[in-house]
C-alpha cells in the first residue's frame, strides 16, 4: 500500500495479517502505545494564538467552523484586514477551509519561509545529534523547493511528518477539479521526488494528471490538487491494515471538497491506501463529486460499490504486475479493507491500466492508465478504455 514501489511478499503480508488479528482488539480500543501529541508543534502554537486573537474588536472565528461561515467572515473583512490576518497567523489562515484561495497561497508561502528559517537554525544547533542536524538540512531543502516561483499551496503544516496540498491550475476558475489522494508513507519528505520515480510521488502524480487533462481537453479549465494533507500510515504495519487513519483523513478530505470555490465538478483519484480513505469518505462527499477512481487499491472498506452510498461513478484499475494483487482482500473486526474493487462483483467501472507498470506506475506520462484518468477528470467518458474483463465500463454514464 505504499505510494512507491517497495514489494512486500505475499508471505509477509499473510504473516502481518495473522499477527494483527491477535492484536486488533488492543489496537482498536487504544491499549497499544499512545502517541502523545506534542504541544510545542508550530501549528499548535499558532492555533493557541489565533484563539486569543481579535480583529476590529471582534474575536476570531473557531477554526472548525463550517467553511461557509468562515467564508462569510473573510468576506466581511477589508482586503487589508485579510492580509493582516494571513501575515499574523499564516499557519492558521493557510489551512482554513473557507478562506479565499489566493489568501491561503499567500499565508502558506509565509509559513514555508518561517519553517525554512527554523530548519536553518536547527542545522547549526549544537544540541542536536549529527542525525538531527542532517534531518534539519533535508527539511530545509524541501521547504526551499516548495518555495520555488509559481508554486501554490492550499495547505501546509510542518508539524511532525507534515502535511501539504499543492494546486496546479486556476482553482478559482476551474470547471473541473481533480484531487490526487496518495497512500502509505505520504508526508512532506515524500511529497515530491526527482529522477526516475518523479511520478510516483504526490506532486509528480498531480503534475502528470494536470498535463494529461490539458492535452485531453484544451478548452476545459482544469485544476489538479496533490492532496497530501492527511496523516498516512508510515510503512506497511498495523496502521496500514486498519482504517483509523483513513477515517481521520476522510474528515479532512470532506472538509476540503466542501470548501472548494465555485461550482466545478470534482473527481478523486485515489492510489493505494488513498483508496481506503476515499472509500470511507464517499458517503458524505457533496454531489459535485462526480467520479471516484481508484488504482492499486487494497479495498475501500466495503464489499461492493453500492455500499459506498455515493452518487459518484466509481472507477477501478490495476495493472498486471502490481503487487497489491497479492494482498488478501478481507475484513475481520476492522482489520483489512474489504473486497477488491477490480473484481466484477464489486460493481465498479473497471478501466484499463494498459501499459502501466508496478504499484506506482499509474501516473506515468504516456500510459493508458494516465490517459484514462485524464479522460475521467475532464468528463470525456467516451474516451475511457475499459479493461478486458469489463467491456461495458462506460455503459449508462452521462457523456459517454
Amino acid at each position: 500500500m505504499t505510494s512507491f514501489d517497495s514489494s512486500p511478499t505475499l508471505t509477509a503480508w499473510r504473516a502481518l495479517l495473522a499477527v494483527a488479528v491477535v492484536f486488533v482488539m488492543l489496537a482498536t480500543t487504544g491499549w497499544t502505545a499512545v502517541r502523545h501529541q506534542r504541544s510545542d508543534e508550530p501549528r499548535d502554537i499558532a492555533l493557541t494564538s489565533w484563539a486569543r486573537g481579535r480583529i476590529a474588536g471582534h474575536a476570531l472565528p473557531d477554526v472548525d467552523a463550517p467553511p461557509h461561515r468562515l467564508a462569510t467572515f473573510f468576506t466581511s473583512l477589508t482586503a487589508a484586514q485579510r492580509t493582516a490576518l494571513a501575515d499574523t497567523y499564516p499557519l492558521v489562515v493557510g489551512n482554513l477551509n473557507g478562506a479565499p484561495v489566493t489568501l491561503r497561497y499567500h499565508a502558506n508561502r509565509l509559513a514555508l519561509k518561517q519553517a525554512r528559517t527554523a530548519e536553518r537554525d536547527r542545522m547549526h544547533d549544537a544540541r542536536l545529534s549529527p542525525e538531527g542536524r542532517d534531518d534539519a538540512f533535508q527539511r530545509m531543502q524541501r521547504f526551499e523547493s516548495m518555495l520555488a516561483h509559481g508554486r501554490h499551496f492550499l495547505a501546509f503544516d510542518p508539524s511532525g511528518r507534515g502535511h501539504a496540498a499543492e494546486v496546479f491550475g486556476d482553482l478559482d476558475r476551474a470547471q473541473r477539479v481533480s484531487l490526487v489522494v496518495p497512500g502509505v508513507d505520504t508526508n512532506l519528505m515524500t511529497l515530491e521526488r526527482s529522477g526516475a520515480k518523479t511520478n510516483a510521488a504526490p506532486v509528480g502524480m498531480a503534475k502528470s494528471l494536470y498535463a494529461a487533462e490539458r492535452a485531453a481537453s484544451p478548452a476545459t479549465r482544469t485544476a489538479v490538487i496533490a492532496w497530501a494533507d492527511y496523516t498516512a500510515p508510515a510503512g506497511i504495519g498495523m496502521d496500514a491494515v486498519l482504517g483509523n487513519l483513513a477515517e481521520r483523513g476522510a474528515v479532512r478530505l470532506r472538509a476540503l471538497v466542501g470548501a472548494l470555490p465555485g461550482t466545478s465538478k470534482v473527481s478523486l483519484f485515489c492510489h493505494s491506501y488513498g483508496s481506503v480513505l476515499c472509500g470511507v469518505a464517499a458517503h458524505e462527499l457533496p454531489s459535485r463529486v462526480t467520479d471516484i477512481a481508484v488504482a492499486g487499491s487494497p479495498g475501500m472498506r466495503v464489499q461492493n460499490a453500492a455500499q459506498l452510498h455515493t452518487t459518484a461513478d466509481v472507477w477501478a484499475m490495476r495493472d498486471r504486475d502490481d503487487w497489491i494483487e497479492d494482498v488478501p482482500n478481507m475484513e475481520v473486526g476492522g482489520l483489512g479493507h474489504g473486497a477488491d474493487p477490480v473484481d466484477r462483483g464489486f460493481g465498479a467501472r473497471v478501466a484499463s491500466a494498459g501499459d502501466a507498470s508496478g504499484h506506482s506506475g499509474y501516473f506515468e506520462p504516456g500510459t493508458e492508465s494516465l490517459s484514462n484518468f485524464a479522460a475521467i477528470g475532464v468528463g470525456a467518458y467516451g474516451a475511457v478504455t475499459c479493461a478486458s474483463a469489463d467491456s461495458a465500463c462506460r455503459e449508462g454514464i452521462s457523456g459517454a
Side-chain angles (χ1 to χ4, degrees), residues 213-257:
E213 287 184 352
R214 295 184 69 187
S217 182
T220 302
R221 297 193 303 273
T222 63
V224 178
I225 303 173
W227 191 76
D229 193 24
Y230 80 103
T231 300
I236 306 299
M238 181 67 81
D239 282 338
V241 296
L242 292 171
N244 298 353
L245 294 182
E247 291 169 4
R248 297 173 199 168
V251 174
R252 299 177 69 87
L253 179 62
R254 289 190 292 256
L256 173 69
V257 173

Side-chain angles (χ1 to χ4, degrees), residues 78-101:
T78 65
Q81 288 173 327
R82 289 192 289 269
T83 301
L85 281 180
D87 291 348
T88 306
Y89 309 101
L91 269 177
V92 178
V93 175
N95 295 282
L96 275 184
N97 291 314
V101 167

Side-chain angles (χ1 to χ4, degrees), residues 288-378:
R288 69 191 295 185
V289 176
T290 57
D291 301 277
I292 300 174
V294 303
S297 174
M300 302 179 75
R301 297 198 73 79
V302 293
Q303 294 307 306
N304 56 67
Q307 292 177 349
L308 293 172
H309 300 294
T310 178
T311 57
D313 284 300
V314 179
W315 303 81
M317 69 169 65
R318 184 174 65 225
D319 67 50
R320 63 176 60 89
D321 61 351
D322 188 338
W323 57 258
I324 204 75
E325 183 177 7
D326 294 330
V327 175
N329 290 103
M330 55 173 284
E331 194 283 317
V332 179
L335 178 73
H337 303 307
D340 188 342
V342 301
D343 282 352
R344 180 176 293 275
F346 186 83
R349 300 176 182 274
V350 183
S352 174
D355 48 355
S357 177
H359 187 56
S360 61
Y362 296 96
F363 292 85
E364 195 67 31
T367 56
E368 189 174 24
S369 54
L370 181 62
S371 295
N372 279 335
F373 279 164
I376 293 168
V378 299

Side-chain angles (χ1 to χ4, degrees), residues 1-16 184-185 235-237 240-241 272 321-328 359:
M1 282 174 283
T2 177
S3 297
F4 308 133
D5 252 339
S6 58
S7 301
T9 65
L10 178 58
T11 301
W13 265 103
R14 286 176 172 162
L16 172 64
V184 164
D185 285 330
I236 306 299
V241 296
S272 197
D321 61 351
D322 188 338
W323 57 258
I324 204 75
E325 183 177 7
D326 294 330
V327 175
H359 187 56

Side-chain angles (χ1 to χ4, degrees), residues 57-334:
H58 300 286
L60 301 178
D62 190 329
V63 294
D64 293 323
H68 70 274
R69 291 184 185 175
L70 291 170
T72 299
F73 165 73
F74 281 100
T75 300
S76 72
L77 303 177
T78 65
Q81 288 173 327
R82 289 192 289 269
T83 301
L85 281 180
D87 291 348
T88 306
Y89 309 101
L91 269 177
V92 178
V93 175
N95 295 282
L96 275 184
N97 291 314
V101 167
T102 52
L103 190 68
R104 291 177 70 169
Y105 293 164
H106 170 73
N108 285 321
R109 191 162 188 82
L110 290 178
L112 274 162
K113 289 179 178 178
Q114 292 175 359
R116 178 182 61 183
T117 297
E119 297 303 334
R120 279 179 175 166
D121 290 343
R122 290 181 66 238
M123 285 168 52
H124 304 290
D125 189 340
R127 295 169 298 178
L128 295 180
S129 66
E131 292 78 11
R133 292 193 293 272
D134 182 65
D135 174 72
F137 174 70
Q138 298 296 330
R139 287 171 62 89
M140 186 278 294
Q141 284 194 315
R142 174 47 38 85
F143 300 151
E144 188 78 42
S145 173
M146 294 169 72
L147 281 165
H149 178 72
R151 299 188 71 171
H152 302 295
F153 288 89
L154 195 64
F156 170 69
D157 180 3
S159 303
R161 292 188 294 137
H163 296 170
E166 185 170 8
V167 177
F168 300 90
D170 189 335
L171 194 56
D172 279 317
R173 297 182 63 251
Q175 297 166 303
R176 311 274 314 198
V177 174
S178 297
L179 274 79
V180 174
V181 183
V184 164
D185 285 330
T186 293
N187 56 64
L188 283 176
M189 298 311 295
T190 61
L191 182 68
E192 55 189 345
R193 298 184 74 179
S194 58
K197 294 294 184 180
T198 297
N199 302 302
V203 166
M205 293 177 181
K207 288 176 71 173
S208 290
L209 181 57
Y210 181 56
E213 287 184 352
R214 295 184 69 187
S217 182
T220 302
R221 297 193 303 273
T222 63
V224 178
I225 303 173
W227 191 76
D229 193 24
Y230 80 103
T231 300
I236 306 299
M238 181 67 81
D239 282 338
V241 296
L242 292 171
N244 298 353
L245 294 182
E247 291 169 4
R248 297 173 199 168
V251 174
R252 299 177 69 87
L253 179 62
R254 289 190 292 256
L256 173 69
V257 173
L260 289 174
T263 58
S264 56
K265 294 182 178 179
V266 178
S267 300
L268 306 182
F269 296 91
C270 317
H271 179 243
S272 197
Y273 188 85
S275 67
V276 182
L277 190 160
C278 289
V280 174
H283 71 287
E284 290 186 353
L285 291 171
S287 59
R288 69 191 295 185
V289 176
T290 57
D291 301 277
I292 300 174
V294 303
S297 174
M300 302 179 75
R301 297 198 73 79
V302 293
Q303 294 307 306
N304 56 67
Q307 292 177 349
L308 293 172
H309 300 294
T310 178
T311 57
D313 284 300
V314 179
W315 303 81
M317 69 169 65
R318 184 174 65 225
D319 67 50
R320 63 176 60 89
D321 61 351
D322 188 338
W323 57 258
I324 204 75
E325 183 177 7
D326 294 330
V327 175
N329 290 103
M330 55 173 284
E331 194 283 317
V332 179

